[in-house]
């Protein structure tokens, strides 16, 4: 069953069940669909939203400098890799590449993974391995900076505004 049909089924179930039996519905919703879909359903049935930020999440900023002669080619490969990662991997919450306006060879990537297992899985995917092997000669320097959130509760509001 596709996610769209599953979401419709879960929404129908959530709306037709007695409101006093919400705990069972919440468990079903949270285990059968993504957090974003869960929160959409919870808004409709007026229940508290599930926090997107969890302690096991990995948040990282990659600081990469690219050799100028490879910049156009690198950017095309990175864009393809980021898109495939977010589209194909459930555990990849975000891979958001950007560059410094004043110095476009300075790339920054915000990476958010559901947990360590999702990150380890990401490293083995064909699209990441292609990115890594084809861009190796293009990278002048790279630093991976693991981050910790100061305010995890606000992350839910950020995703709600985007969605």
């Amino acid at each position: 069953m596709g996610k769209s049909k599953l979401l419709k089924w879960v929404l129908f179930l959530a709306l037709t069940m007695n409101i006093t039996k919400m705990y069972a519905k919440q468990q079903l919703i949270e285990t059968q669909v993504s957090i974003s879909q869960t929160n959409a359903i919870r808004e409709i049935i007026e229940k508290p939203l599930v926090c997107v930020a969890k302690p096991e999440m990995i948040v990282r900023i990659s600081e990469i400098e690219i050799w100028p002669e490879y910049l156009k080619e690198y950017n095309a490969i990175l864009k393809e890799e980021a898109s495939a990662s977010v589209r194909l991997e459930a555990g990849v919450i975000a891979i958001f590449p950007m560059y410094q306006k004043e110095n476009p060879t300075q790339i920054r990537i915000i990476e958010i993974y559901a947990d360590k297992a999702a990150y380890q899985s990401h490293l083995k995917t064909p699209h990441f391995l292609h990115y890594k092997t084809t861009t190796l000669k293009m990278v002048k320097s790279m630093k991976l900076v693991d981050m910790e959130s100061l305010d995890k509760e606000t992350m839910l509001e950020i995703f709600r505004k985007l969605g």
Side-chain angles (χ1 to χ4, degrees):
M1 179 182 306
K3 279 191 176 184
S4 178
K5 284 185 178 182
L6 181 60
L7 178 59
K8 288 176 185 175
W9 179 82
V10 171
L11 181 57
F12 173 78
L13 178 66
L15 294 174
T16 56
M17 290 179 72
N18 184 333
I19 222 66
T20 60
K21 297 179 182 175
M22 286 303 296
Y23 182 77
K25 286 188 292 184
Q26 290 169 5
Q27 293 302 319
L28 174 65
I29 291 168
E30 290 168 16
T31 59
Q32 298 299 316
V33 296
S34 73
I35 289 177
S36 298
Q37 292 168 327
T38 299
N39 284 338
I41 293 168
R42 285 171 158 261
E43 282 183 334
I44 292 169
I45 60 177
E46 298 178 353
K47 289 295 174 184
L49 303 180
V50 177
C51 185
V52 173
K54 298 194 174 189
E56 62 270 17
M57 287 178 71
I58 294 175
V59 179
R60 170 176 293 146
I61 297 176
S62 297
E63 299 175 350
I64 304 169
E65 183 176 3
I66 303 304
W67 293 106
E69 62 268 25
Y70 293 115
L71 187 58
K72 186 175 179 180
E73 183 182 2
Y74 175 85
N75 285 345
I77 295 167
L78 174 58
K79 185 177 177 182
E80 184 180 306
E81 194 282 330
S83 174
S85 297
V86 172
R87 188 178 67 253
L88 300 173
E89 298 177 65
V92 175
I93 309 301
I95 293 188
F96 186 67
M98 60 199 98
Y99 63 89
Q100 293 180 9
K101 284 184 179 182
E102 297 297 319
N103 189 357
T105 61
Q106 292 291 324
I107 306 293
R108 300 297 181 263
I109 306 170
I110 297 174
E111 303 175 43
I112 306 174
Y113 303 94
D115 53 32
K116 188 174 183 173
Y119 174 68
Q120 293 298 324
S121 176
H122 169 69
L123 296 179
K124 297 173 186 169
T125 61
H127 49 271
F128 178 79
L129 293 172
H130 172 74
Y131 160 79
K132 196 67 176 169
T133 57
T134 57
T135 62
L136 199 55
K137 68 179 181 190
M138 303 175 191
V139 176
K140 183 177 181 181
S141 66
M142 178 173 57
K143 182 179 180 184
L144 302 178
V145 183
D146 289 328
M147 306 298 290
E148 188 63 44
S149 175
L150 292 173
D151 182 7
K152 291 182 188 265
E153 291 76 27
T154 299
M155 188 179 284
L156 180 60
E157 291 301 319
I158 293 168
F159 284 113
R160 182 184 293 157
K161 283 185 175 186
L162 292 173

